[in-house]
Amino acid sequence: MAYHLLQHDRDGAALLGRALTQAVEQIRHCALCNTFTENEVCETCLDPERDPTLLCVVETPTDQLMIEQTLTFKGLYFVLMGRLSPLDGIGPKDIQLEKLVSRATDGVVTEVVLATNFTNEGEATAHYISETMKARGLQVSRLARGVPVGGELEYVDAGTIARAMLDRRAT
Amino acid sequence: MAYHLLQHDRDGAALLGRALTQAVEQIRHCALCNTFTENEVCETCLDPERDPTLLCVVETPTDQLMIEQTLTFKGLYFVLMGRLSPLDGIGPKDIQLEKLVSRATDGVVTEVVLATNFTNEGEATAHYISETMKARGLQVSRLARGVPVGGELEYVDAGTIARAMLDRRAT
Ligand SMILES: [Zn+2]
Ligand SMILES: [Zn+2]
């Protein structure tokens, strides 16, 4: 892309270069939730309409967006910017678990909602955070595992059916 | 297939014909659970190791098999052999709901576990059965809906994430 711009659109290349430099200079991590923002604290964290007693933990800003689109969560977020992955040498420090602990123990948060992925690493990360938070007296919840909306048992893997049976709910 | 056998393997055709005729003559619906069996009552319904207080409702014998493979359910089954589908003219009588009601109200069953599919029709069928059973004082549960095992939020549909958030569980 850079070569194409240099050959055919040198003005565009200059513009893009400035924009990228500016982004690198201006975009930082929100002091409260870690997501990308141009300010000290992001818009979501500053929104007075949100419920500050609920803190949802996600792996990435994209996951935060996925949840936002469902309109089912009115609390605040903490973006790990990763997940625990011992095999890749990613430990608690790399995903800033200390920052999460101090964020969650601000005296306002009462429930930590774990929305890490349902991969092995995401589940291990959720488990680790859950133990850490419960030791500090916080309520911890996890997004439900089960059969996806629209799913047919015939095409769902056995692990998911097993979980859906064990986690079955009273109607 | 029939033409192929007639041309190349007339003995095979004769054998297959006899086997199919025999199957049609011998295979019937279990008097208790509706699944296919060669006897009046199927092996599962007769198994003394199973918990007769739990009755799991599925749409098809295949769905029953999917659940059996997970080794998470030790109760008995009722196979609807279909699901409610008003648009196709399939009503409560077509899926033998009366037989299910008399099966579930035998005085031994205490919990009906709804494992119909998570399609619109499967959900509507579950809802209908749930109301019917609760009116008769039975406990009713539904397989959990949520994010499948191994699932990443980024690749899961919004409806499933919404359900997983609303149905989140304490850890
Ligand atoms: Zn923020
Ligand atoms: Zn049976």
Side-chain angles (χ1 to χ4, degrees), chain B residues 23-79:
Chain B
V24 169
E25 280 165 4
Q26 293 182 349
I27 296 211
R28 44 182 158 167
H29 293 285
C30 170
L32 287 174
C33 78
N34 246 1
T35 202
F36 294 124
T37 174
E38 292 189 9
N39 307 305
E40 173 74 11
V41 173
C42 76
E43 280 179 24
T44 308
C45 285
L46 288 172
D47 185 346
E49 301 284 300
R50 309 207 59 124
D51 179 352
T53 67
L54 292 173
L55 187 69
C56 181
V57 179
V58 293
E59 293 182 19
T60 66
T62 306
D63 294 344
Q64 177 181 1
L65 196 68
M66 297 297 293
I67 295 174
E68 280 295 283
Q69 284 174 347
T70 69
L71 307 176
T72 54
F73 183 72
K74 288 292 162 210
L76 297 170
Y77 291 91
F78 187 90
V79 183

Side-chain angles (χ1 to χ4, degrees), chain A residues 117-118 130 142 151 153 169 171, chain B residues 117-118 142 151 153 169 171:
Chain A
N117 286 320
F118 290 76
S130 172
R142 177 80 168 120
L153 297 193
R169 305 173 70 88
T171 65
Chain B
N117 286 320
F118 290 78
R142 177 80 169 119
L153 296 191
R169 304 173 71 87
T171 65

Side-chain angles (χ1 to χ4, degrees), chain B residues 90-153:
Chain B
I90 300 172
K93 275 193 185 168
D94 301 291
I95 60 171
Q96 302 193 46
L97 275 184
E98 275 177 40
K99 184 172 173 182
L100 169 57
V101 169
S102 50
R103 174 70 188 85
T105 54
D106 66 350
V108 179
V109 171
T110 56
E111 180 186 346
V112 175
V113 180
L114 299 172
T116 53
N117 286 320
F118 290 78
T119 57
N120 287 337
E121 291 171 345
E123 291 280 26
T125 305
H127 181 74
Y128 188 94
I129 296 174
S130 173
E131 297 301 308
T132 308
M133 294 301 168
K134 284 194 286 190
R136 284 162 178 78
L138 288 159
Q139 264 184 279
V140 183
S141 61
R142 177 80 169 119
L143 293 210
R145 290 171 295 185
V147 181
V149 170
E152 300 182 62
L153 296 191

Side-chain angles (χ1 to χ4, degrees), chain A residues 29-37 40-46 64 76-79 103:
Chain A
H29 292 285
C30 170
L32 288 174
C33 78
N34 247 358
T35 202
F36 295 125
T37 173
E40 175 73 11
V41 174
C42 76
E43 282 180 22
T44 308
C45 285
L46 288 172
Q64 178 182 359
L76 297 170
Y77 290 90
F78 187 89
V79 184
R103 174 68 188 85

